[in-house]
């Protein structure tokens, strides 16, 4: 086995993390701008919810397709193309007046952004040691949670159209830099890839035989519902339900993003303290989030409600950190990291897209209390899933 250079790991980590930051703030630009877009009168809650869901569906489908493709072609080319295309779409969006064109652009955006994570996970897991990969992926998850923070900083630009232009411009520049760096590293032999040669249907299904894979598909669905669907509506929840001003809501959302960004580090610490008992950690996280969301329904004070929301979102972020920063990076020897990442992300985003449509519809008809109750139910389902997999490991077929 070739020696894993710490210098190589650092370069890989810095480039992947910096590039992935652009991926994540692009996902959240629409969310942080929703209150402002609604004020223009050109957008409705239903239309914005539809744009978000279209993005999620195409991101999910793209994860499945690009996840498998990422094990057969150069991860460098696939990931750089995805970031570049997403930047171009963001620049075009504010100057398109048609609702149909809006939908088409967000479909392209979703598919383009799905070309990034799988290839990056492949680069990381196959060119660094297990400990290096885990450390990089912790920061990788940090980048994911910090994405909304950066999006909220972009949102401070007064003109919403220029927020999209600025965000897209940065993405195109970053994609070019990442492509150049990885090209040089490939040419010098510092990074190589395990390219899958078998393209049979059986080889694709082999990923389902990986330990706990089916269970983590369920966790991916719940984690993305909590991390994407709930997060998308937080700025709107702060302004419409808790009655904060748009500026205050933006600052609060920034603070929430900062608090969630430290969750991957806390997750790794706790994971080690409890001797890597992943099921126990997942169950505790889902339990805490469920209790706190229910507590929001009982609270009569908006500041207490806000505190409960922040801690609930942090607890809901723990399963996501465990999945992406610990479970997947440990599968480097399989040579199917991109495929595994694609399937899990696809599962998660399909669930998130369905949840987003549901949240938008209920918000308009039944009010925020019903939406919060649905948020609590995500954690409750997670608790049931962890109990089921425990029984399965003890010899009882449940999942």
């Amino acid at each position: 086995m070739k020696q894993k250079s710490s210098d190589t790991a650092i370069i890989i980590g810095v480039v992947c993390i910096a590039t992935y930051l652009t991926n994540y703030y692009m996902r959240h630009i629409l969310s942080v701008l929703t209150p402002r877009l609604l004020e223009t009168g050109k957008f409705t809650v239903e239309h914005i919810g539809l744009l978000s869901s279209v993005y999620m569906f195409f991101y999910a489908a793209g994860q499945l397709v690009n996840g498998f493709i990422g094990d057969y072609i150069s991860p460098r080319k696939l990931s750089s193309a995805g970031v570049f295309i997403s930047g171009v779409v963001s620049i075009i969006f504010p100057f398109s007046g048609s609702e149909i064109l809006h939908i088409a652009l967000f479909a392209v955006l979703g598919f383009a952004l799905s070309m990034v994570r799988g290839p990056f996970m492949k680069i990381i897991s196959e060119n660094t040691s297990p400990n290096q990969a885990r450390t990089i992926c912790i920061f990788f998850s940090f980048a994911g949670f910090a994405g909304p923070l950066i999006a909220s900083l972009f949102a401070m630009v007064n003109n919403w159209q220029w927020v999209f232009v600025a965000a897209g411009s940065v993405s195109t520049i970053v994609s070019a830099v990442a492509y150049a760096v990885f090209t040089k590293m490939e040419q010098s032999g510092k990074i190589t890839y395990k390219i899958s040669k078998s393209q049979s249907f059986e080889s694709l299904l082999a990923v389902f035989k990986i330990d706990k894979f089916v269970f983590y598909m369920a966790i991916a669905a719940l984690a993305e519902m909590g991390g994407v669907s709930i997060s998308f509506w937080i700025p709107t929840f702060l302004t419409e339900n808790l009655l904060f001003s748009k500026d205050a809501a933006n600052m609060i959302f920034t603070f929430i993003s900062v608090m969630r960004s430290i969750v991957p580090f806390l997750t790794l610490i706790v994971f080690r303290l409890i001797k890597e008992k992943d099921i126990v950690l997942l169950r505790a996280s889902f339990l805490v989030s469920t209790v706190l969301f229910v507590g929001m329904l009982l609270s009569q004070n908006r500041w207490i409600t806000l505190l409960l929301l922040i801690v609930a979102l942090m607890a809901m972020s723990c399963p996501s950190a465990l999945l992406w920063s610990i479970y997947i990076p440990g599968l480097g020897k399989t040579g199917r990291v991109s495929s595994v990442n694609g399937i899990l992300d696809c599962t998660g985003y399909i669930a998130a897209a369905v949840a987003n449509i549901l949240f938008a519809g209920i918000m308009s008809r039944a009010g925020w209390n019903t939406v919060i109750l649905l948020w609590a139910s995500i954690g409750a389902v997670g608790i049931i899933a962890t109990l089921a997999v425990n029984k399965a490991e003890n010899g009882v077929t449940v999942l």
Side-chain angles (χ1 to χ4, degrees):
M1 179 182 295
K2 70 178 182 180
Q3 182 66 31
K4 307 296 185 180
S5 167
S6 59
D7 290 341
T8 297
I10 290 172
I11 296 173
I12 290 173
V14 170
V15 175
C16 286
I17 292 166
T19 308
Y20 203 55
L21 273 172
T22 68
N23 181 292
Y24 251 99
Y25 75 65
M26 290 296 293
R27 300 187 195 188
H28 291 274
I29 286 293
L30 182 64
S31 172
V32 297
L33 288 178
T34 292
R36 197 182 302 182
L37 293 175
L38 291 175
E39 276 191 341
T40 66
K42 299 178 181 179
F43 297 85
T44 64
V45 169
E46 290 79 6
H47 182 52
I48 291 175
L50 177 60
L51 291 180
S52 177
S53 294
V54 166
Y55 155 77
M56 291 180 190
F57 275 121
F58 276 86
Y59 182 87
Q63 278 291 353
L64 189 61
V65 173
N66 292 315
F68 286 118
I69 292 176
D71 283 323
Y72 293 95
I73 68 173
S74 169
R76 163 179 55 91
K77 296 178 181 178
L78 192 61
S79 59
S80 297
V83 177
F84 180 81
I85 293 171
S86 69
V88 172
V89 168
S90 181
I91 294 171
I92 294 174
F93 175 77
F95 305 106
S96 58
S98 165
E99 289 189 0
I100 294 178
L101 185 55
H102 287 170
I103 294 171
L105 287 172
F106 266 79
V108 174
L109 178 66
F111 192 84
L113 290 179
S114 73
M115 299 163 69
V116 181
R117 187 177 185 108
F120 276 178
M121 293 297 287
K122 187 175 182 67
I123 293 173
I124 293 168
S125 64
E126 294 183 6
N127 291 280
T128 63
S129 69
N131 284 336
Q132 290 170 344
R134 181 174 289 183
T135 300
I136 292 172
C137 287
I138 287 294
F139 283 96
F140 217 44
S141 290
F142 167 81
F145 291 120
L149 168 61
I150 297 176
S152 65
L153 295 177
F154 273 113
M156 291 181 181
V157 177
N158 289 330
N159 188 305
W160 68 266
Q161 288 95 334
W162 287 108
V163 176
F164 282 99
V165 173
S169 299
V170 172
S171 289
T172 57
I173 294 171
V174 170
S175 68
V177 173
Y179 184 87
V181 172
F182 283 142
T183 296
K184 186 174 182 179
M185 293 183 74
E186 283 186 21
Q187 292 173 345
S188 64
K190 291 183 178 179
I191 59 175
T192 57
Y193 314 110
K194 297 176 183 177
I195 302 299
S196 298
K197 300 185 183 300
S198 174
Q199 301 184 37
S200 66
F201 184 68
E202 290 76 11
S203 70
L204 299 181
L205 293 180
V207 296
F208 291 90
K209 298 178 181 179
I210 295 174
D211 184 43
K212 292 182 180 177
F213 183 78
V214 175
F215 167 70
Y216 271 104
M217 285 183 66
I219 297 302
L222 297 172
E224 295 304 331
M225 288 171 68
V228 177
S229 298
I230 294 179
S231 295
F232 181 85
W233 294 107
I234 294 304
T236 308
F237 174 77
L238 294 173
T239 55
E240 292 190 358
N241 186 265
L242 299 187
L243 303 180
F244 287 105
S245 68
K246 291 188 298 298
D247 290 338
N250 190 52
M251 291 179 63
I252 293 170
F253 187 70
T254 300
F255 177 74
I256 291 174
S257 300
V258 171
M259 295 304 295
R260 297 183 79 182
S261 70
I262 67 175
V263 171
F265 304 99
L266 296 178
T267 300
L268 180 59
I269 292 172
V270 175
F271 182 69
R272 289 174 174 170
L273 288 176
I274 63 175
K275 299 180 180 179
E276 303 190 355
K277 296 179 180 178
D278 55 338
I279 305 301
V280 173
L281 181 54
L282 287 170
R283 187 178 304 143
S285 302
F286 284 128
L287 177 61
V288 170
S289 67
T290 301
V291 171
L292 294 178
F293 280 132
V294 172
M296 288 172 59
L297 294 173
L298 304 176
S299 172
Q300 300 298 315
N301 182 289
R302 71 172 179 172
W303 292 104
I304 294 177
T305 301
L306 177 61
L307 177 61
L308 294 173
L309 173 65
I310 293 172
V311 181
L313 290 173
M314 291 180 69
M316 188 63 74
S317 300
C318 182
S320 179
L322 184 65
L323 174 66
W324 304 114
S325 303
I326 296 174
Y327 176 70
I328 295 179
L331 303 177
K333 292 182 179 179
T334 67
R336 304 307 299 268
V337 170
S338 183
S339 300
V340 168
N341 184 90
I343 294 173
L344 293 179
D345 228 355
C346 174
T347 302
Y349 266 81
I350 287 176
V354 172
N356 213 50
I357 294 174
L358 186 63
F359 293 163
I362 290 177
M363 190 189 312
S364 301
R365 296 171 177 79
W368 280 103
N369 282 351
T370 306
V371 174
I372 294 171
L373 187 60
L374 286 176
W375 293 352
S377 69
I378 295 173
V381 173
I383 296 171
I384 295 171
T386 60
L387 293 172
V389 77
N390 258 8
K391 291 180 179 180
E393 289 180 344
N394 290 329
V396 179
T397 302
V398 178
L399 292 179

